[in-house]
């Protein structure tokens, strides 16, 4: 793969997916998309990956469906061995490319790191990840070191109005109706 000189690097990087295993002998790779509609990942360009601490911009030559997978061809990558070096690299774009959201909607990246407290003021911990379960999203909350209930992690459903009472992104604070023993 030819080394490309970047005109820009992502100043506010956000992960939209991951490069998977190789497909075939001509340098195709599987793509795992984190976007709501898997093909939407191609709406956000350019893509960046980080290898050995350096940002690299990827130029897509093409993409297609293969069975249940999405596969891509990267410009200048024509063999399986070269493509295999990119397996498991996260696909990153600059978050300024993402469309603005309506009130009450949040990007997962904005919730990660927020402190979570319940309506009684108990500090449940910080959001370290989000999961999609099909019926609703779930916050993975890492409990504080000296959690009174001995919890290490809590899985709290992101149900606006029912569980989620208030989200203040400026204060990095999420208020929830949740029993700290769960």
């Amino acid at each position: 793969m030819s080394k490309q000189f970047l005109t820009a690097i992502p100043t506010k990087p956000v992960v939209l997916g991951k490069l998977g295993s190789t497909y075939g002998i001509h340098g195709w790779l599987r793509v795992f998309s984190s976007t709501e509609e898997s093909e939407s990942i191609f709406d956000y360009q350019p893509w960046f990956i980080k290898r050995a601490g350096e940002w690299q911009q990827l130029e897509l030559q093409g993409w297609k469906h293969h069975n249940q997978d999405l596969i891509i061809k990267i410009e200048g990558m024509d063999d399986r061995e070269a493509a295999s070096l990119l397996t498991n690299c996260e696909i990153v774009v600059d978050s300024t490319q993402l469309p603005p959201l309506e009130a009450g909607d949040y990007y997962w990246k904005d919730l990660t790191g927020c402190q979570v407290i319940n309506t009684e003021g108990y500090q449940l911990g910080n959001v370290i990840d989000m999961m999609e379960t099909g019926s609703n999203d779930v916050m993975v909350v890492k409990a504080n070191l000296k959690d009174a209930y001995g919890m290490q992690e809590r899985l709290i459903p992101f149900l606006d109005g029912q569980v989620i009472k208030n989200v203040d992104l400026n204060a990095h604070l999420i208020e929830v109706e949740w029993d700290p023993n769960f």
Side-chain angles (χ1 to χ4, degrees):
M1 182 165 87
S2 61
K3 180 134 177 132
Q4 297 182 7
F5 295 97
L6 300 178
T7 55
I9 60 170
T11 55
K12 296 181 179 178
V14 61
V15 176
L16 288 189
K18 192 174 193 177
L19 296 173
S21 61
T22 58
Y23 172 79
I25 61 170
H26 298 291
W28 288 80
L29 285 161
R30 288 174 175 80
V31 170
F32 300 102
S33 173
S34 300
T35 56
E36 193 168 353
E37 300 291 328
S38 59
E39 296 90 0
S40 296
I41 195 168
F42 301 111
D43 295 342
Y44 307 101
Q45 298 291 325
W47 284 2
F48 297 92
I49 59 169
K50 201 168 202 177
R51 292 182 57 207
E54 300 281 325
W55 286 109
Q56 291 181 339
Q57 185 174 330
L58 299 182
E59 292 291 328
L60 293 185
Q61 183 176 325
W63 69 274
K64 61 184 175 181
H65 286 275
H66 177 71
N67 296 329
Q68 301 293 354
D69 295 332
L70 291 174
I71 58 174
I72 62 165
K73 180 81 167 89
I74 297 172
E75 191 70 44
M77 187 167 299
D78 297 319
D79 66 75
R80 183 182 187 95
E81 285 184 41
S84 70
L85 297 175
L86 301 183
T87 296
N88 293 323
C89 286
E90 292 180 327
I91 299 167
V92 174
V93 300
D94 197 299
S95 64
T96 57
Q97 296 181 51
L98 302 176
L101 295 173
E102 295 179 22
D105 288 341
Y106 308 96
Y107 284 116
W108 285 6
K109 70 173 184 65
D110 296 329
L111 300 175
T112 302
C114 285
Q115 182 181 28
V116 180
I117 62 168
N118 72 4
T119 52
E120 287 78 42
Y122 187 84
Q123 295 183 4
L124 299 168
N126 293 323
V127 178
I128 59 168
D129 200 3
M130 296 289 295
M131 299 185 320
E132 186 176 358
T133 64
S135 58
N136 56 270
D137 296 335
V138 173
M139 294 186 300
V140 180
V141 178
K142 181 173 176 55
N144 298 317
L145 288 176
K146 295 182 180 179
D147 187 84
Y149 295 90
M151 301 297 248
Q152 292 182 349
E153 278 186 359
R154 292 180 172 88
L155 301 178
I156 302 175
F158 199 87
L159 296 170
D160 199 29
Q162 294 175 310
V163 176
I164 306 300
K165 296 301 180 185
N166 185 40
V167 175
D168 184 343
L169 293 179
N170 292 327
H172 298 289
L173 188 65
I174 301 172
E175 185 181 19
V176 296
E177 180 74 44
W178 196 254
D179 184 337
N181 200 25
F182 282 10

